Amino acid sequence: MTITDNRTGRSVTVPIEGSTFPSAALRELDRTLRLYDPAFLSTASCASSITLVDGENGILRYRGYPIEQLAEQSNFLEVCYLLLYGELPTKDQYAEWQHEITTHTFVHEKVKRFIDGFHYDAHPMGVLVSTVAALSTFYPEAKDIFDEQSRQQQIVRLIAKMPTLAAFAYRYSVGQPFVYPDNSLSYTANFLSMLWRIAEPRFDANPALARALDVLFILHADHEQNCSTTAMRTVGSSQADPYVATAAACAGLYGPLHGGANEQVIHMLNRIGSVDNVPAYIERVKKGETRLMGFGHRVYKSYDPRAKIIRQTADEVFEVTGVSPLLEIALKLEEIALSDDYFIERQLYPNVDFYSGLIYQAMGFPLAMFTVLFAIARTPGWLAHWLELLGDPETKIYRPRQKYIGADQRDYVSIDER
Ligand code: CMC
């Protein structure tokens, strides 16, 4: 591509690789020239080999493997390994990986006391963000980010301890004693045990529900350069330790436009209240008075492939739990939206969050836990990007430029004269 600066008549020819060109070439034209792209609509911030999202065609692949195959045939821990190390593990590698994760699920006793300091109605995401950051103080060697062994240890700890922190945050919010991890259980079954166990010596989750949660975790495990992953990379680029970088990523996820959307979907369905009110709600959305939560995506301009799989998982969960009374409203919303010009023109389709909230609710999770579940699942993705960033010779500290639109130089006026 040849770019001509019409002010000077100078041209520069830039190579287009895939669909990107190096913006550095623009500096050849004029060192002060900047691309203005406030929400990174057309900016590739890094080169990555982890996840492919093809939004036009509704394709999602981790390390080349289609999400549909992984959701059907793999499990969350195996997918974690794949995302982090680039290949599916052999039997021995998997056994070692599973052993490592399973034996690092406990947290320091002081973490419990730290959680005790929160207000009784603290949102579990606020608790999670803070406790993940606090892990940094328990493992000071995590600062040694260029030591491969240390990096590996923090990765194992983070993936292993996230469910424990999440479950503790939940138990605290309902005033129940913390349940310690049960290392004889699978990753998701242990999580469910830490959440729901009361007095029984061992809690065996319904296998269909444990599997459904595992599938949901697989679907949420990575999604390339979204808001939270970009936060992880941004903080990671300053060479901060992975605990505080993961806390930053969790904070990015918390917002209602990102990982908080699944909670908002249920609020919305509750507000709509019945199928009869759906058309009126759609009219309000079209007038711009509100948004259809769980719809639309920056990248997907067709049906989100994760939403398709989740729709199927929802049926499997409802077979065990009974059908959610909100499902009927959700289906009607989807039916009307998919045939309405407003949504067709803007290419707005259900995203991953449209049905995941219904599943979580049917499984008994309170709304405030939904984003926490997303955070557990996204942790391997964040860490895979952190590893990739550290190993990339092109990595420099993230430092975007700005278009300054403030006041010109002016002289200070003393407070008495203002
Ligand atoms: N309901 C109604 N209108 C919408 C919606 C929606 N959910 N999403 C986008 N639009 C409209 C928007 O009003 C705009 O219309 P116009 O051109 O007339 O101004 C047009 O579609 C483009 O929207 P945008 O806000 O420029 O799109 P974006 O790429 O900046 O936003 C989004 C993406 C996901 C933030 C947005 O679609 C949204 O707010 N969706 C609802 C929240 C949600 O479900 N988020 C979860 C995303 S998936 C999970 C994850 O990866 O985090």
Side-chain angles (χ1 to χ4, degrees):
M1 182 165 68
T2 299
I3 304 168
T4 304
D5 183 342
N6 291 326
R7 298 168 307 172
T8 59
R10 289 182 60 197
S11 287
V12 63
T13 299
V14 292
I16 301 182
E17 282 169 24
S19 53
T20 62
F21 69 90
S23 65
L26 292 181
R27 287 203 286 277
E28 284 179 34
L29 281 181
D30 176 349
R31 275 188 53 246
T32 64
L33 213 52
R34 312 262 178 265
L35 285 168
Y36 180 61
D37 189 9
F40 312 126
L41 293 176
S42 317
T43 298
S45 62
C46 62
S48 179
S49 58
I50 301 169
T51 290
L52 172 87
V53 180
D54 174 349
E56 296 303 322
N57 298 306
I59 289 172
L60 170 60
R61 292 183 203 134
Y62 297 159
R63 301 284 188 184
Y65 294 100
I67 192 67
E68 293 78 7
Q69 289 182 22
L70 293 171
E72 199 182 324
Q73 298 171 52
S74 184
N75 66 56
F76 179 63
L77 274 193
E78 188 177 65
V79 166
C80 292
Y81 187 100
L82 172 69
L83 287 169
L84 286 158
Y85 309 114
E87 297 296 336
L88 287 167
T90 61
K91 266 191 190 150
D92 288 348
Q93 286 168 332
Y94 181 73
E96 195 187 329
W97 174 242
Q98 190 181 32
H99 176 77
E100 282 283 288
I101 298 294
T102 310
T103 50
H104 283 86
T105 46
F106 278 69
V107 292
H108 196 288
E109 281 294 290
K110 281 198 175 146
V111 171
K112 286 187 350 195
R113 280 204 253 150
F114 181 72
I115 294 178
D116 266 342
F118 284 100
H119 207 43
Y120 72 96
D121 59 354
H123 193 290
M125 261 319 266
V127 177
L128 188 71
V129 170
S130 317
T131 45
V132 173
L135 287 184
S136 156
T137 65
F138 290 93
Y139 305 110
E141 73 275 17
K143 286 180 183 40
D144 212 352
I145 57 165
F146 293 111
D147 178 322
E148 205 186 322
Q149 220 182 336
S150 167
R151 260 193 335 235
Q152 178 58 22
Q153 185 153 35
Q154 315 321 323
I155 287 172
V156 166
R157 282 176 175 152
L158 269 160
I159 293 175
K161 294 181 201 309
M162 282 298 267
T164 314
L165 296 177
F168 281 13
Y170 167 71
R171 299 287 288 206
Y172 181 72
S173 72
V174 290
Q176 288 180 352
F178 300 128
V179 175
Y180 287 107
D182 179 342
N183 289 353
S184 68
L185 297 172
S186 75
Y187 191 81
T188 39
N190 169 50
F191 177 50
L192 294 174
S193 156
M194 289 189 289
L195 286 168
W196 309 129
R197 199 168 112 195
I198 305 289
E200 57 276 54
R202 182 187 156 103
F203 180 91
D204 281 304
N206 182 308
L209 298 187
R211 173 63 192 158
L213 193 59
D214 205 72
V215 170
L216 283 162
F217 281 3
I218 292 173
L219 300 182
H220 285 87
D222 193 45
H223 213 235
E224 49 119 310
Q225 312 309 318
N226 50 78
C227 174
S228 56
T229 303
T230 301
M232 181 86 189
R233 279 184 175 262
T234 304
V235 176
S237 78
S238 78
Q239 302 186 352
D241 75 59
Y243 297 105
V244 290
T246 302
C250 281
L253 190 74
Y254 191 3
L257 295 188
H258 189 11
N262 47 20
E263 191 178 334
Q264 296 304 322
V265 170
I266 302 295
H267 287 307
M268 174 186 77
L269 296 175
N270 278 329
R271 270 199 307 273
I272 296 174
S274 85
V275 171
D276 296 344
N277 298 333
V278 168
Y281 189 82
I282 294 277
E283 283 314 305
R284 286 191 54 217
V285 171
K286 285 161 64 175
K287 282 190 205 145
E289 291 171 11
T290 185
R291 284 207 161 189
L292 189 47
M293 298 311 287
F295 259 69
H297 199 276
R298 173 65 56 80
V299 183
Y300 291 120
K301 300 303 166 200
S302 61
Y303 212 100
D304 182 337
R306 301 168 300 175
K308 262 189 215 155
I309 301 169
I310 284 189
R311 185 67 200 84
Q312 203 180 324
T313 309
D315 289 336
E316 286 157 24
V317 169
F318 294 153
E319 255 178 49
V320 179
T321 63
V323 176
S324 161
L326 298 178
L327 179 66
E328 215 189 340
I329 303 174
L331 289 172
K332 192 71 189 169
L333 270 178
E334 179 180 339
E335 182 197 311
I336 297 189
L338 292 183
S339 59
D340 190 296
D341 281 348
Y342 175 95
F343 296 89
I344 294 169
E345 278 163 19
R346 290 168 181 77
Q347 297 176 301
L348 299 171
Y349 294 88
N351 60 47
V352 68
D353 288 322
F354 193 62
Y355 289 109
S356 63
L358 287 176
I359 301 183
Y360 294 147
Q361 196 184 37
M363 287 174 79
F365 290 105
L367 293 195
M369 279 297 286
F370 291 6
T371 315
V372 173
L373 300 171
F374 195 158
I376 297 173
R378 186 54 62 86
T379 300
W382 291 330
L383 290 167
H385 283 274
W386 176 70
L387 268 188
E388 188 175 64
L389 172 98
L390 293 182
D392 184 346
E394 280 192 321
T395 293
K396 281 177 184 284
I397 187 167
Y398 275 35
R399 207 307 184 184
R401 305 304 289 259
Q402 65 165 6
K403 179 168 91 170
Y404 178 70
I405 54 166
D408 268 345
Q409 179 176 328
R410 45 190 176 157
D411 290 326
Y412 182 80
V413 180
S414 85
I415 196 160
D416 299 332
E417 290 167 37
R418 275 174 233 158

